[in-house]
Amino acid sequence: MTSIIATMAPAEPVTFARQARMRGYVTMGGPPLIVFALFVAVWYLISYGLLSERRRFLLPPPHDVVSVGFLDWHNFAEILAGLGSTAAISLAGFAIAGTIGFTLAVVMSQSVAMERSFYPYAVALQTLPVLAMTPLVGLWFGFDTFSRILICSILALFPIITNTLFGLKSVEPSQRDLFDLMKAGRWTRLWRLEIPAALPNILTGLRISGGLSVIGAIVADFFFRQGDPGIGRLLDIYRASLETERLYAAIICSSLLGLALFLTNTLISRHVLRNWHASAHSKSS
Amino acid sequence: MTEGATTVAVRPTEGAARSLLAFRGVEMVFPNGVHAVDTVDMDIAPGEFVSLVGPSGCGKSTLLRIASGLARPTAGEVVLNTGHIAYVFQDPTLLPWRTVRQNVELCNQLKKLPKAERAEKARQAIEMVGLAGFENRHPNQLSGGMRMRASLARALTLEPEVFLFDEPFGAIDEITRERLNSELLRIFRTRAFAGVFVTHSIAEAVFLSTRVAVMSARPGRIIGEFDVPFPYPREPELRSTPEFAALTGEIGRCLRSGAQ
Ligand SMILES: Nc1ncnc2c1ncn2[C@@H]1O[C@H](COP(=O)(O)OP(=O)(O)OP(=O)(O)O)[C@@H](O)[C@H]1O
Ligand SMILES: [Mg+2]
């Protein structure tokens, strides 16, 4: 590997570059690692220092969580399967929310009448306590996958609508003038100007909704108990049986799922917006 | 393409004798009551380059917007004897998600010109403004002056007969600005459009134009028109001649008299 690189470029710049990169990783990764170490230390302190042996199940020490939750293949496979099911639900809900939210925002951006008619309901949807709706959703649509996806998409819908609509409507007036001057039609304007200009906002909306769809899927797991169990149902089972090592492992895994989604979205945004002005980056973050 | 600006023939038009663009008693009162423009009459003939100077807020941009059809006057009319009009805004108005080439192609893309044709026009325009080699850059990778050049190139692809400029170099440093002035003149001489150029700089106005029109404070009227006698091609040294200074001084006095 190194020899190939050495034949392609002078050795020195490569090592310099690599050193610089390593230094970059260290300065970037250092502080979070220190915090992580502190976190684990406090965890041990509580497990062994604060909790008596009888109550240690409340916070089992990290190595127990790892050995029971992650290294025991039977346990870990169960958690992975639950995670997969939840991930699939949240992805489906996210896709549905994305499609519907984007379409609604485009429709609202094209006509004031449409915006006036629909926007209040979009806002109402956000203030709607989705949890309060779950029993009804279950009665109407059953207690399995469909309802899980439905709750998930309702929860993820709003940020996509508002962010997309905001982006579509905040195109710079001078850019609109340019398209006016060329007598561009509504579709051309939408496709060539408004949607590209709204891209940073659309991506922001998607990022927020991605997080919400994971939350939605886990919450829905608690309520809709038919079909293959998601991570939310496993959390409830482990709680009921006081298997706290597995409970902690499941919690860690579900936060990793959220984190993975967030990182994916961030990377996609970065890639899509890589050529934009710095202001577009800050607008999107 | 290369003959002098004043000798270019323009396709015959019915009605208004030789003017490409004419303001006839144009008046603009905005819905909020601001009386921006007050009865402007002005003719711009082929080969003319008219600069508009006036105090801030006197309705210069409004006048250009009316000329381009972006705004409708509340009284009077604009006679435009060509379909080829281009407008360079005060800011470059480039689309940040498009490369220089794609930005320059935008207008002809919106006009649904075939791909090859608009690519060729874009190539020529980019060459003309001196951006060759930067086609694949995005606007955020360009300096302010280069962005303005790209904006200019985009307007040039329309092969305008009437060219409106709204303070295009207002936000650009003095040296770059003078260079862009010279390049604009070079383009003016090869492309032979009729220009209307809004600026705050009297020197810029005189250097570029065949005629300078001075506007009063709001409501804007034309209170003085000055023919600029210097022949083209004009060299930057023109700026330091006594004749140049005399003319800018005269225009400055007129401007101040109308500024109250
Ligand atoms: N859409 C509008 N509605 C109401 N008033 C407007 C509108 N557009 C411009 N005005 C007002 O009309 C007047 C003329 O504006 P305009 O932009 O034409 O001035 P300007 O001469 O271009 O000024 P500057 O040199 O600062 O660019 C200003 O007082 C401005 O506030
Ligand atoms: Mg203006």
Side-chain angles (χ1 to χ4, degrees), chain A:
Chain A
M1 191 56 185
T2 31
S3 64
I4 296 172
I5 292 173
T7 55
M8 293 193 322
E12 245 186 298
V14 171
T15 37
F16 272 139
R18 189 173 301 157
Q19 270 175 7
R21 211 176 318 135
M22 288 305 289
R23 221 174 297 132
Y25 288 146
V26 168
T27 46
M28 254 179 56
L33 276 181
I34 293 171
V35 171
F36 182 72
L38 277 176
F39 175 76
V40 172
V42 169
W43 186 341
Y44 269 114
L45 216 68
I46 296 175
S47 286
Y48 286 117
L50 235 55
L51 296 173
S52 64
E53 202 173 332
R54 264 188 50 236
R55 300 182 55 208
R56 190 156 298 145
F57 73 92
L58 286 176
L59 188 64
H63 61 265
D64 280 353
V65 170
V66 170
S67 65
V68 176
F70 291 98
L71 299 181
D72 178 328
W73 176 245
H74 173 76
N75 290 347
F76 190 47
E78 188 176 71
I79 291 175
L80 276 188
L83 204 62
S85 161
T86 300
I89 298 283
S90 61
L91 232 58
F94 177 59
I96 292 171
T99 315
I100 295 179
F102 177 78
T103 312
L104 277 178
V106 167
V107 168
M108 285 193 261
S109 77
Q110 294 303 301
S111 130
V112 179
M114 282 293 183
E115 189 186 348
R116 288 238 185 90
S117 324
F118 282 114
Y119 198 70
Y121 296 102
V123 175
L125 185 72
Q126 193 215 14
T127 56
L128 184 81
V130 177
L131 288 186
M133 291 292 295
T134 45
L136 258 187
V137 169
L139 284 177
W140 287 345
F141 302 108
F143 289 84
D144 51 15
T145 317
F146 182 82
S147 294
R148 285 163 77 189
I149 296 179
L150 186 65
I151 287 296
C152 187
S153 19
I154 291 176
L155 212 62
L157 189 58
F158 187 72
I160 298 193
I161 297 181
T162 43
N163 282 283
T164 306
L165 187 60
F166 177 78
L168 292 173
K169 294 187 69 170
S170 50
V171 174
E172 279 183 38
S174 59
Q175 296 179 345
R176 287 195 185 282
D177 283 346
L178 181 66
F179 278 67
D180 279 343
L181 222 48
M182 301 313 301
K183 303 192 169 54
R186 170 173 292 203
W187 289 110
T188 313
R189 185 185 299 264
L190 182 67
W191 184 242
R192 301 263 179 229
L193 177 64
E194 288 163 352
I195 291 179
L199 217 50
N201 304 92
I202 295 173
L203 290 166
T204 305
L206 289 178
R207 199 160 48 201
I208 300 171
S209 287
L212 285 177
S213 73
V214 172
I215 295 174
I218 293 176
V219 167
D221 282 347
F222 276 92
F223 284 91
F224 307 117
R225 300 171 154 273
Q226 285 162 16
D228 47 334
I231 195 89
R233 182 124 55 94
L234 292 181
L235 287 170
D236 201 39
I237 292 171
Y238 300 152
R239 177 199 55 81
S241 56
L242 289 183
E243 293 169 273
T244 46
E245 290 89 359
R246 293 168 79 183
L247 182 60
Y248 278 100
I251 291 173
I252 292 170
C253 284
S254 34
S255 22
L256 286 181
L257 175 63
L259 190 67
L261 211 83
F262 180 81
L263 285 182
T264 314
N265 275 323
T266 307
L267 284 181
I268 292 175
S269 298
R270 284 252 178 91
H271 180 75
V272 172
L273 303 179
R274 69 195 177 284
N275 291 319
W276 284 47
H277 195 267
S279 67
H281 277 296
S282 56
K283 206 172 142 194
S284 72
S285 58

Side-chain angles (χ1 to χ4, degrees), chain B residues 8-9 13 17 53-54 72 80 121 151 156-157 218 224 230 233 250 252:
Chain B
V8 168
T13 50
V53 295
R72 208 180 270 277
L80 186 63
K121 284 183 201 273
S151 178
L156 278 168
T157 59
R218 210 177 62 220
F230 313 120
E250 202 182 332

Side-chain angles (χ1 to χ4, degrees), chain B:
Chain B
M1 265 326 226
T2 48
E3 68 239 272
T6 45
T7 59
V8 168
V10 171
R11 66 186 164 84
T13 50
E14 57 284 330
R18 252 174 49 83
S19 68
L20 268 181
L21 170 67
F23 297 90
R24 300 259 181 270
V26 167
E27 191 170 343
M28 187 68 171
V29 183
F30 283 107
N32 62 358
V34 173
H35 195 172
V37 177
D38 189 26
T39 47
V40 166
D41 282 284
M42 190 161 62
D43 280 86
I44 290 113
E48 272 199 299
F49 196 113
V50 180
S51 281
L52 271 181
V53 295
S56 198
C58 73
K60 304 180 295 291
S61 299
T62 305
L63 217 48
L64 289 196
R65 291 177 66 82
I66 291 172
S68 69
L70 280 178
R72 208 180 270 277
T74 43
E77 59 169 355
V78 164
V79 183
L80 186 63
N81 284 319
T82 172
H84 296 262
I85 182 166
Y87 193 157
V88 177
F89 300 100
Q90 180 156 1
D91 53 343
T93 326
L94 301 173
L95 306 181
W97 54 92
R98 286 175 166 243
T99 61
V100 167
R101 189 203 316 277
Q102 291 166 336
N103 265 295
V104 173
E105 280 189 23
L106 177 70
C107 288
N108 281 328
Q109 186 180 23
L110 294 180
K111 281 173 72 181
K112 305 202 166 59
L113 242 62
K115 237 183 173 141
E117 197 177 333
R118 68 175 195 243
E120 175 56 22
K121 284 183 201 273
R123 196 193 56 75
Q124 284 176 12
I126 288 172
E127 180 111 332
M128 193 162 251
V129 300
L131 272 185
F134 295 94
E135 291 91 343
N136 295 322
R137 297 254 191 126
H138 280 79
N140 69 321
Q141 300 167 306
L142 301 179
S143 69
M146 287 159 89
R147 276 181 220 159
M148 212 58 236
R149 285 170 202 261
S151 178
L152 200 59
R154 183 181 60 199
L156 278 168
T157 59
L158 292 170
E159 292 164 0
E161 288 184 284
V162 170
F163 214 143
L164 310 173
F165 302 88
D166 193 354
E167 272 184 73
F169 309 137
I172 288 172
D173 71 272
E174 196 66 26
I175 297 182
T176 313
R177 185 174 183 156
E178 288 184 5
R179 196 161 66 228
L180 285 168
N181 282 170
S182 294
E183 287 176 20
L184 182 59
L185 272 193
R186 183 175 49 76
I187 294 169
F188 172 55
R189 287 179 46 72
T190 50
R191 282 292 173 91
F193 46 78
V196 182
F197 191 98
V198 168
T199 176
H200 276 125
S201 157
I202 298 176
E204 182 175 64
V206 172
F207 183 73
L208 292 175
S209 318
T210 57
R211 185 151 53 103
V212 178
V214 179
M215 286 179 78
S216 68
R218 210 177 62 220
R221 280 176 305 112
I222 305 233
I223 52 169
E225 295 198 47
F226 298 82
D227 283 319
V228 181
F230 313 120
Y232 297 93
R234 294 176 183 171
E235 302 302 329
E237 291 72 42
L238 174 65
R239 293 174 194 269
S240 40
T241 61
E243 294 83 2
F244 191 88
L247 188 53
T248 52
E250 202 182 332
I251 294 172
R253 272 190 296 283
C254 178
L255 190 58
R256 277 189 293 280
S257 77
Q260 291 88 30

